[in-house]
Amino acid sequence: MTVRRMPLTEILATYRPPAGGDTWKRAIPDLLADPDDARIVDLLRAELVAHGDFREPIVVEPQERDVLNGLHRIAAALLSKQEALDVTDTYDDLPEKRRVAIALAGPVTAALVDRLTKVLFSFPFEGGWTNCDMLFPGDDRVTGWWHCPAGLDERLGEELVSRAAAAGIRLRVVAIDPA
């Protein structure tokens, strides 16, 4: 399927929230209670004001009625009274996926991985957004997969290091490879 426009009310009636509760009425306040998630929603609301829409569609799984990528955009759209969103059921409609391996300056702990997940999960990048699919911790490095437009791999690596440093976490990029 390619991208299609869908009324927000239909999205809310058709798809379940991926986190924060079994209904959107519970999920949105739960999402906004977390400062990192609330920051992302605020950035997305600013994107709506600046551009009138989001640059990327939300990704859904129609058979299971799941939102795979787009919870924060749905929250921002609700709070901004957006009438419709672009929806797709394939990651092929998002920027090319890249693999980014990062090394930490010291041993990897569960608490550090949890913090990195919050800090590096989703943020504005080069006129769009990047999202991390997953982080895999090792003894001295964490490997993650981010969506990154072609040609911006090095810039994404710099941005990951910068964002981690702003949160008090020292990182260095070990490798950047296509997924």
Side-chain angles (χ1 to χ4, degrees):
M1 172 183 117
T2 59
V3 177
R4 72 183 191 283
R5 196 78 174 159
M6 191 172 186
L8 185 56
T9 55
E10 186 179 338
I11 292 169
L12 298 175
T14 304
Y15 300 103
R16 295 184 301 248
D22 57 350
T23 68
W24 290 102
K25 189 173 184 176
R26 288 187 201 164
I28 299 302
D30 185 63
L31 181 73
L32 296 175
D34 180 276
D36 293 310
D37 288 324
R39 177 188 52 80
I40 291 169
V41 171
D42 285 343
L43 290 168
L44 286 162
R45 290 184 76 191
E47 183 175 327
L48 276 175
V49 169
H51 303 286
D53 207 352
F54 300 118
R55 296 174 193 255
E56 296 179 8
I58 65 169
V59 182
V60 298
E61 205 304 305
Q63 303 301 85
E64 299 295 322
R65 301 180 339 119
D66 291 329
V67 173
L68 303 177
N69 183 308
L71 172 63
H72 294 90
R73 281 173 279 166
I74 291 171
L78 272 170
L79 294 171
S80 300
K81 299 180 176 28
Q82 183 81 0
E83 292 184 21
L85 296 174
D86 289 336
V87 176
T88 184
D89 62 5
T90 176
Y91 278 97
D92 291 340
D93 289 327
L94 298 179
E96 183 180 348
K97 188 187 238 183
R98 300 291 188 189
R99 180 179 180 202
V100 179
I102 53 177
L104 302 174
V108 176
T109 65
L112 185 59
V113 172
D114 286 347
R115 186 67 189 133
L116 281 175
T117 300
K118 290 290 189 178
V119 172
L120 302 180
F121 175 73
S122 180
F123 53 87
F125 175 69
E126 296 289 328
W129 280 76
T130 186
N131 297 85
C132 179
D133 284 337
M134 193 170 295
L135 288 176
F136 291 101
D139 290 335
D140 66 348
R141 82 174 47 175
V142 173
T143 302
W145 285 261
W146 281 265
H147 294 274
C148 175
L152 296 177
D153 296 2
E154 294 295 325
R155 180 70 189 101
L156 177 60
E158 293 167 3
E159 186 70 21
L160 294 172
V161 170
S162 174
R163 287 180 174 276
I169 303 167
R170 290 182 41 205
L171 298 179
R172 67 178 173 82
V173 175
V174 174
I176 299 175
D177 300 305

